[in-house]
Amino acid sequence: MKLTERQKEIIEIVKQNEPITSQEIAERLGLTRAALRPDLSILTMAKILDAKPRVGYYFVKEPGAVGKLEKLLEMKIEDLQSHPVVVQESSSVYNAIVTLFLEDVGTLFVSDKEGYLVGVVSRKDLLKVTIGEADIQKLPVSVVMSRMPNIIVTKPEETFYTALRKLVDYKVDALPVVVEEEVNGQTRLKVVGRFSKTTLANVLASHLSEL
């Protein structure tokens, strides 16, 4: 995937009107500042644009920066994903909390006994149940998890930019990386990796410094 048409349009708007504020850019595109923020962040971190407080955005001419950014956005999730942390749906909330802290993650993926994805449970989900009166050593994690099909996933062949947009658009902390398998005529999802905000930060830190 190359720079999106929106990102190219942003660059042209800034070139022709620099310095220009994010509000002014958003108005020219008919968008909100919130919708524009991910694109501006990418272009700024890539050193294609820069910004001065109370002044606005301006174009930074660095040969090769756009091409390097496009290569980053085209990278496949299978080359970036981290190891998934999975618990079974029969696991207790207590064991899920222990796993969460031992693995130092904010989200757990939940599988059935065959190992297929059935849900996701977040730190917030577990916190909510622990402040109640439930016996968390007996309560199964399946009671508090978000269930399929309301789970946002990514796949190994998807691009870095596609997964990034999912994190932003759906306001989630982590995406299970899945592959599809046919089981008794049904499509099931096997978790093979994890793409999280931490993964995103690490990728940006290691790659954008080279732009």
Side-chain angles (χ1 to χ4, degrees), residues 159-184:
T159 64
F160 171 75
Y161 183 73
T162 299
L164 181 158
R165 288 301 324 181
K166 288 181 178 180
L167 288 177
V168 173
D169 293 342
Y170 293 99
K171 298 180 175 61
V172 293
D173 292 328
L175 302 171
V177 184
V178 301
V179 293
E180 295 182 352
E181 294 184 3
E182 289 296 320
V183 181
N184 298 324

Side-chain angles (χ1 to χ4, degrees), residues 55-75:
V55 177
Y57 288 87
Y58 58 94
F59 179 67
V60 180
K61 189 174 181 180
E62 288 197 11
V66 172
K68 290 180 180 179
L69 177 60
E70 289 178 343
K71 287 183 179 180
L72 169 60
L73 298 179
E74 290 172 352
M75 291 184 70

Side-chain angles (χ1 to χ4, degrees), residues 42 45-47 64-65 68-76 79-80 160 199-211:
I42 288 173
M45 287 186 289
K47 301 178 184 177
K68 290 180 180 179
L69 177 60
E70 289 178 343
K71 287 183 179 180
L72 169 60
L73 298 179
E74 290 172 352
M75 291 184 70
K76 303 301 182 183
D79 298 321
L80 304 171
F160 171 75
T199 311
L200 170 63
N202 290 336
V203 170
L204 291 176
S206 61
H207 288 81
L208 293 185
S209 62
E210 302 174 1
L211 297 181

Side-chain angles (χ1 to χ4, degrees), residues 24-188:
E24 291 172 326
I25 298 172
E27 289 174 357
R28 288 172 181 266
L29 293 172
L31 301 170
T32 64
R33 290 176 64 189
L36 197 61
R37 191 173 296 121
D39 294 309
L40 287 175
S41 296
I42 288 173
L43 294 174
T44 302
M45 287 186 289
K47 301 178 184 177
I48 296 172
L49 301 182
D50 203 349
K52 292 182 179 179
R54 301 177 186 175
V55 177
Y57 288 87
Y58 58 94
F59 179 67
V60 180
K61 189 174 181 180
E62 288 197 11
V66 172
K68 290 180 180 179
L69 177 60
E70 289 178 343
K71 287 183 179 180
L72 169 60
L73 298 179
E74 290 172 352
M75 291 184 70
K76 303 301 182 183
I77 292 302
E78 62 186 350
D79 298 321
L80 304 171
Q81 67 191 37
S82 56
H83 181 72
V85 182
V86 182
V87 296
Q88 284 200 7
E89 58 184 333
S90 58
S91 297
S92 69
V93 168
Y94 175 82
N95 286 336
I97 293 172
V98 171
T99 302
L100 191 82
F101 283 97
L102 288 178
E103 297 289 344
D104 192 24
V105 294
T107 304
L108 299 173
F109 306 138
V110 186
S111 70
D112 60 16
K113 60 183 179 181
E114 285 81 30
Y116 293 106
L117 180 68
V118 293
V120 170
V121 63
S122 69
R123 183 187 291 112
K124 185 181 295 184
D125 295 327
L126 296 172
L127 177 60
K128 285 180 181 178
V129 72
T130 56
I131 61 178
E133 298 180 0
D135 186 345
I136 62 173
Q137 295 203 22
K138 295 181 179 179
L139 188 69
V141 74
S142 59
V143 174
V144 299
M145 70 183 185
S146 298
R147 293 180 174 274
M148 293 294 294
N150 300 313
I151 306 300
I152 308 304
V153 303
T154 186
K155 297 181 179 180
E157 66 272 16
E158 288 187 340
T159 64
F160 171 75
Y161 183 73
T162 299
L164 181 158
R165 288 301 324 181
K166 288 181 178 180
L167 288 177
V168 173
D169 293 342
Y170 293 99
K171 298 180 175 61
V172 293
D173 292 328
L175 302 171
V177 184
V178 301
V179 293
E180 295 182 352
E181 294 184 3
E182 289 296 320
V183 181
N184 298 324
Q186 292 185 327
T187 301
R188 306 296 304 278

